[in-house]
Structure formats: C-alpha cells, structure tokens
Amino acid sequence: MDYFDRFAVPHPSPAIYASMVAIGLTMLAVVVGITYFKKWGYLWREWLTTVDHKRIGIMYILSALLMLFRGGADAIMMRAQTAIPDNGLLDGQHYNEIFTTHGVVMILFMAMPFIIGLMNIVTPLQIGARDVAFPRLNAVSFWLFFMGAMLFNISFVVGGSPDAGWTSYFPLASNDFSESVGSNYYAIAIQIAGIGTLLTGINFIVTILKMRAPGMNLMKMPMFTWSILITNFIIVFAFPVLTVALALMTMDRLFGTQFFTMANGGSDMLWANLFWVWGHPEVYIVILPAFGIYSEIISTFARRNLYGYNSMVISMVAISTLSFIVWAHHFYTMGHGAMVNGIFSITTMAIAVPTGVKIFNWLFTLWKGKIVFTVPMLYSLAFIPIFTLGGVTGVMLAMASADYQYHNTMFLVAHFHYVLIPGTVFAVLAGFTYWWPKMFGFMLSEKIGKWSFWFITISFNVTFFPMFITGLDGQARRMYTYSESTGYGPLNMLSFVGAIGLAIGFALIVYNIYWSTRYASRNISNDPWDARSLEWATHTPIPEYNFAIVPTVDSTEAFWDSKKKGFKLFGGKVEKIHMPNNSGVPFIMSCIFFVWGFAMVFSMWIIAIIATLGIFACMAHRSFEKDHGRYISVEEIEETENKLRGAK
C-alpha cells in the first residue's frame, strides 16, 4: 500500500472522487465503442499515424474543445464559490488548485492548440503549398502537446493538482509551500507540451518562407498567414526561455537545487522575470493569429479588400517587437525602482498604438462595405468594442502608480478576460465556423450559431463587467471567500449568472456540431462564403495533395481576382505529386514521453531512465530510416479531381 499512497490525492473531496469515476467510465466507453464498431485499424491508419497537416489541425482543434470544457468547469466552480459570501462549496486549497489549473488549461491547452489547429489547416492552403515543410515533425509536435496536456490533467485525480497559480510563483511553488507533486506536474507537463510548440514554430517559419506559391512574395501573403509567420517567430524566441525556466524549476523541486530560493544565491524574482519574459509574448502568440482571423473574416463579409495592408503588417511587427520589452509591468508592486517602473510603463502604453492602428484598419474596411451578418462576422464585429474596452483598462493598468491600486484586485481579472476572450476565444470560434465547411464539407447551422453567439457575448459581459466594479471597490483576486459586510455579494452573484449563460452558449456550439453533422446539406460549393484567399480555391473536401496544380499568384487576393477579374490561377499541367508516408513513430514516442513525464513527477528514476532510452531509440530509428515518401500518379490525381468536381 505504501507504493500506491504516493499516487493518492492529498486533498480528496466528493468532486474529485466523482471525477475519478467519470474519467474511468469515459475511457471504458471509448474503448468499448471503438472495439464494437471495429475502428481500431481505421483509427491507427487515418489518425494516430497521420502526417497530413489537415488531420493534425483537426486533432488540435478537438483537443482544444475538450480542454475548453475542462477549463470551463473550473471557471463555473470558481464563480459558484464566490457567488455568495462565506460559501462552503470549496475550501481554500481546492480553490487554489482550480484557479491554477483553469489558467494553465485555458491559455496553454485550449487557446494555443485552437490557434495552432487553425494554423495547420489553413496556412499551407493559403500559400498554395501541398503540406508543411516537415510533415513528420508536425505530427511529433501535436502528440507532444497532447501528451503534455493529458499528463497535466491527470494530476487532478492522481497525486494532486498544482496550487501555486498559473504563474507558479516561487516560493509558493517550492517544496516548502507546495508539498504535493502538483507543481511537478506543472513543470514537466508544460515542458513536454512546450517542446511540441517550439517545434511547430520552427516548422511553420520554414513552411511560409520556403513553400509559397509562385508569385507570392511576402507582401502578397494573406493577413492570416502574416500573423502566423510573426507569431511563430515569437514562439521561437520566447519558448526557449520557458524551457530553461521549467528545467530550473524541475531541478529545484526534484534535485534540491536552489535557483529560486531566498538562500544560497537563489532568487524568487528570477522565476518571475523568466516566466514573464516568456509569458507576455505568449499573450501575443494567441492574440496575433486572432487578428489575422478577424482580418480574413471582416474583409470577406464586408465584401471589400482589407484597408491598409502595409500598415497592418507593420503594426503586427511592431506589436511582436514591443511584446518582449513590457514583461516587468506584471510586477510593478514587487520592489522595482521608479526608473524601471517608468520605462516599462512607457513601453506598455506604446504597444497600444499599433494595436489601435489595427482597430482603425478594420473599421475602415467596414466603412461603406456591403456587410453580411454571418456568425463569423458577428463574432468579429463584437470583438472590436469589447476588446477596445479591455485595451483601455490595460492602459490604466500600465500606469505604475495606479497599478498599486488595481494589481491584486478583480479589476485585473476583468481586464485580461476582456482582452483574451474577445481577442482569442471569439476569434477561434469565428475561424472555426468560417473554415468548418473547408474542413468537413458542410456548413454549421447559422441559426443555432447566432443563438450561441448572443448567449456567449451577452453572458461574457454579465460575467466580467461586474468584476471591474468589485475590483475598484477592493475585492482581491485569488480569494476564495469574503464576508457579507463587504457588499460584494450581489455583483458576484450576477457574475455567476453570467457564467451559467456562457456555459449554455458553449453547449449550443456542441449541439450545433451534432445537429449540422446529422442534418446539414453536403451539397455546398468549394467557396460557400464567396471568400478571397487561396484556401477556397481548392476542392471541398480537400484532397490529400491540396492542389492538383500549384497556383500562380499575382496579388494579395489572387483567388478573388480569379473570380472577379478572370486572373488565371492554375496554369500548366497535372504532374505526379510527391507526398510523405504516414508514421507511427511520433505517436509511440509521445507515449514514451508521457511515461517519462509521469515517472519524473513521482521520482521513479528507473522508469524515467528506461523511458529516456526509449525516446532516444525513436530518434535513432528516424535517423537511420530510409523513407523517401511516395508519389501520387497523374491517373490517380485526375480520377480524384473528376470525382470531386462531380460532387459539386
């Protein structure tokens, strides 16, 4: 029994026991279902071993949706706990665990994979490529992310969740204050997923720079592709900092080093600096692709070309540069001098300027446009005023002296939700709806989608706007309870009602997927939105090779010009196409990474060493493997093309 005691949850509760049962039953149902329908072979051939960027993108999005509801459950519990004064629903320890996991799950395991999923599906199509530069590396990236996410999530029922906040500040995250293995999960699971993200950054930089269609120079790329290129440069520069910080954290917790202690030359502020040198660019890793999504959607449904293309590109480059020199605004209150606080206050305010430029670009695109109010367009239009409010409150927080009042209050919580939810969640929902027909060959219901939009948009404001008020009244963030005499109760109850409305809105998205999968017409065109960029120039569903003939580009909106001005996109003749083979090695290696991570969390060194050898064995196998891919013959391409044309 002593051996199994180490896996026990240190602070069990009925909710955790219920979660254990639910997870077990869900896993059993999945295994029984796959076995009953005899889908193990299909699952292995078509999904677990795939290197197709489109299928990998879909798996990223499915994982992100799963994590959205995992993080959403945490959010509902937090709002329920604070809905009334002196509530006993959760104790302080469980509340700490829930707000910690909520932040990590929503930022790293929901927003990031949703963005990367859309990036995987759309970017190669927008630049006229047949795949990414390194298809097998792309599969490794996904499976490392997925296994990192799964490792982090089992902490809730095996060993205990991290409880030091999503920022995991020291000394709270040290062995002295976080005695359970929760912070070990944090350090190692995020490390595994982060390696996958770093590989994605390298892969897509090479893809965009080296695999664009003939004629597509950098200043003719779609705005979404531009946002992805800049985002991946941020990833490549920022994620190594996180890698180093997590490695040092792991050594502090597992091997007794003292990088982040107050004794023996360590410094807890070293962690804060390293974390936010990564953490603030991370905000723009999820925001900039969202700006790209909105640019595509607003241009499409305003029926106008994007206003100020060059200024949009310049502003994104400026944002990415400034994102690396604002990190210290996260600890104005931690003892920096007036000079340091003043410099970071100026850089923080400066980043609002290029962001404001983009807002005006979108507004001028809408000016005199023939606006079509589809679901993606509604999310894009709602984003502008809500995000602007979030940005204005960000400028308030940028003032170092005022931040002493705002910093540890619910005002800050309201601010970053007013930035991240319209800035990222609205965007991925808009992009998800916009590119759904290209992914699956049918449309999501506009009627159900609009119901979902209104529930989410109204409920979002009901949930988070009251926090501005309670925060200015002094309600501290991260506090699990408060007394009735504070007067926070009514507004916190209103916030809880809004959270229930958000849950209904997201549930409607799930129902929309179910309803549309069963009943939506499959007889749609390749371009159901009358869009402007190259991903709509190929067939629906998209063939494995994307384009039978690589398109030739002569403008920023080559597909639109081909429809309206007769520009010829596809010249030349069909030739055989080289494609990569599927491989099971990325999935197998990621499973070994999972075992390695679990062993490291619980200091099971023999298993960790064996898993390490297994990881290097997978790498060696790839090094000596002679796999040069395969060719799709001209006859097979023409047969596929004729079949897809005949379906429309």
Side-chain angles (χ1 to χ4, degrees):
M1 288 298 294
D2 291 341
Y3 181 79
F4 290 100
D5 285 345
R6 72 170 73 185
F7 303 125
V9 176
H11 305 283
S13 70
I16 291 176
Y17 291 136
S19 298
M20 291 178 179
V21 173
I23 290 170
L25 291 176
T26 301
M27 292 176 65
L28 180 63
V30 169
V31 171
V32 170
I34 295 173
T35 304
Y36 178 79
F37 291 106
K38 300 178 180 179
K39 291 295 185 180
W40 286 110
Y42 167 80
L43 194 64
W44 177 258
R45 290 189 308 271
E46 301 296 329
W47 294 96
L48 299 183
T49 63
T50 188
V51 297
D52 186 334
H53 70 95
K54 300 177 289 294
R55 289 178 180 264
I56 289 172
I58 290 169
M59 290 193 291
Y60 267 117
I61 291 172
L62 291 175
S63 302
L65 287 171
L66 180 65
M67 292 298 99
L68 174 64
F69 287 94
R70 164 68 175 87
D74 288 338
I76 291 291
M77 286 191 284
M78 283 191 289
R79 297 276 61 79
Q81 169 61 25
T82 57
I84 58 175
D86 301 312
N87 196 354
L89 177 66
L90 301 171
D91 61 30
Q93 175 62 30
H94 288 146
Y95 191 80
N96 289 348
E97 293 176 5
I98 285 168
F99 76 66
T100 298
T101 55
H102 170 75
V104 174
V105 166
M106 286 303 206
I107 295 290
L108 293 174
F109 300 136
M110 188 285 289
M112 285 286 289
F114 220 136
I115 291 293
I116 294 173
L118 293 173
M119 176 198 310
N120 262 279
I121 293 164
V122 176
T123 304
L125 295 171
Q126 283 200 336
I127 64 173
R130 292 202 167 106
D131 210 321
V132 296
F134 308 111
R136 193 176 293 195
L137 190 68
N138 201 24
V140 172
S141 298
F142 168 73
W143 288 114
L144 286 180
F145 148 75
F146 183 80
M147 292 302 173
M150 293 302 102
L151 182 64
F152 184 87
N153 276 277
I154 66 167
S155 66
F156 189 61
V157 294
V158 182
S161 294
D163 58 3
W166 93 275
T167 56
S168 204
Y169 281 156
F170 281 79
L172 288 176
S174 67
N175 288 325
D176 292 334
F177 292 93
S178 292
E179 297 178 1
S180 76
V181 297
S183 290
N184 294 356
Y185 273 113
Y186 178 100
I188 294 165
I190 296 176
Q191 185 79 292
I192 293 171
I195 292 170
T197 303
L198 180 58
L199 297 177
T200 295
I202 297 167
N203 202 347
F204 274 84
I205 289 172
V206 177
T207 299
I208 295 171
L209 292 182
K210 303 298 290 184
M211 299 182 68
R212 300 189 305 276
M216 183 182 283
N217 60 34
L218 289 176
M219 297 309 291
K220 290 179 183 175
M221 294 194 308
M223 197 52 61
F224 178 70
T225 300
W226 254 116
S227 71
I228 295 304
L229 177 62
I230 295 168
T231 296
N232 282 291
F233 271 109
I234 299 176
I235 287 173
V236 168
F237 281 100
F239 264 81
V241 180
L242 179 67
T243 300
V244 170
L246 292 173
L248 298 180
M249 178 182 182
T250 302
M251 286 191 279
D252 267 19
R253 289 193 56 86
L254 297 184
F255 304 117
T257 59
Q258 299 187 43
F259 292 105
F260 304 127
T261 63
M262 295 297 290
N264 298 320
S267 171
D268 55 346
M269 283 303 296
L270 175 61
W271 169 265
N273 278 278
L274 288 174
F275 182 89
W276 286 114
V277 166
W278 162 80
H280 204 86
E282 164 65 18
V283 172
Y284 292 96
I285 289 171
V286 296
I287 288 288
L288 285 178
F291 290 171
I293 292 169
Y294 289 133
S295 297
E296 299 291 334
I297 290 172
I298 289 173
S299 177
T300 295
F301 296 113
R303 304 303 184 211
R304 292 192 62 192
N305 62 307
L306 192 64
Y307 180 89
Y309 179 97
N310 291 348
S311 63
M312 291 281 275
V313 172
I314 293 168
S315 65
M316 282 196 291
V317 173
I319 289 169
S320 67
T321 304
L322 288 168
S323 72
F324 282 94
I325 52 176
V326 298
W327 80 88
H329 71 217
H330 291 276
F331 34 91
Y332 282 147
T333 61
M334 291 186 180
H336 283 311
M339 176 64 75
V340 172
N341 282 353
I343 290 170
F344 281 94
S345 182
I346 292 168
T347 58
T348 303
M349 292 182 189
I351 208 166
V353 175
T355 307
V357 168
K358 300 183 74 63
I359 296 290
F360 282 104
N361 284 132
W362 292 316
L363 291 174
F364 283 125
T365 303
L366 291 167
W367 181 254
K368 295 186 178 179
K370 298 178 180 178
I371 300 173
V372 182
F373 293 98
T374 61
V375 171
M377 190 61 161
L378 288 174
Y379 280 113
S380 303
L381 294 174
F383 150 79
I384 294 174
I386 298 173
F387 183 82
T388 301
L389 178 57
V392 169
T393 55
V395 173
M396 293 171 64
L397 287 158
M399 295 183 287
S401 55
D403 189 64
Y404 275 79
Q405 171 67 33
Y406 306 137
H407 187 75
N408 280 315
T409 71
M410 295 300 288
F411 185 91
L412 179 61
V413 176
H415 155 70
F416 66 69
H417 282 89
Y418 261 80
V419 172
L420 286 175
I421 291 183
T424 298
V425 178
F426 280 24
V428 295
L429 293 178
F432 178 67
T433 308
Y434 180 62
W435 284 302
W436 176 277
K438 187 53 67 175
M439 289 188 273
F440 297 106
F442 60 93
M443 306 279 281
L444 290 173
S445 166
E446 282 284 295
K447 181 178 180 181
I448 302 172
K450 287 177 179 177
W451 272 102
S452 178
F453 162 78
W454 286 112
F455 261 103
I456 289 172
T457 304
I458 294 171
S459 300
F460 163 78
N461 286 284
V462 172
T463 302
F464 293 104
F465 195 84
M467 296 181 191
F468 284 124
I469 301 170
T470 61
L472 291 175
D473 279 346
Q475 184 182 3
R477 58 179 174 151
R478 305 191 183 106
M479 298 297 288
Y480 81 101
T481 191
Y482 56 92
S483 67
E484 187 174 358
S485 62
T486 60
Y488 302 146
L491 287 175
N492 278 315
M493 175 57 76
L494 181 63
S495 183
F496 174 61
V497 171
I500 296 297
L502 277 171
I504 294 171
F506 287 114
L508 283 171
I509 291 174
V510 176
Y511 177 70
N512 194 356
I513 294 171
Y514 164 77
W515 187 93
S516 301
T517 301
R518 290 200 63 181
Y519 303 114
S521 171
R522 267 54 176 177
N523 187 25
I524 63 171
S525 72
N526 297 327
D527 178 27
W529 301 117
D530 192 19
R532 310 175 82 88
S533 47
L534 280 180
E535 71 269 28
W536 303 100
T538 188
H539 297 291
T540 302
I542 309 166
E544 178 189 7
Y545 47 79
N546 293 349
F547 300 95
I549 301 170
V550 174
T552 301
V553 173
D554 194 38
S555 70
T556 58
E557 296 182 326
F559 179 52
W560 182 260
D561 290 343
S562 73
K563 293 189 296 183
K564 306 301 179 183
K565 301 177 183 177
F567 176 78
K568 189 174 183 181
L569 268 179
F570 301 103
K573 62 179 182 178
V574 176
E575 298 178 348
K576 66 179 180 178
I577 298 172
H578 180 265
M579 296 298 293
N581 289 320
N582 285 358
S583 173
V585 175
F587 175 73
I588 293 168
M589 186 169 75
S590 71
C591 291
I592 300 173
F593 257 105
F594 181 91
V595 173
W596 175 85
F598 189 84
M600 290 289 289
V601 166
F602 289 96
S603 302
M604 297 185 290
W605 304 120
I606 294 175
I607 296 175
I609 292 169
I610 294 171
T612 302
L613 294 174
I615 292 167
F616 281 105
C618 290
M619 295 179 182
H621 173 270
R622 176 55 178 159
S623 297
F624 293 102
E625 183 182 17
K626 294 182 179 178
D627 181 359
H628 302 296
R630 59 194 169 82
Y631 283 95
I632 303 176
S633 67
V634 173
E635 293 76 15
E636 188 177 350
I637 295 167
E638 290 178 341
E639 181 182 347
T640 301
E641 291 292 302
N642 290 332
K643 180 181 177 182
L644 290 172
R645 288 191 199 101
K648 305 303 172 194

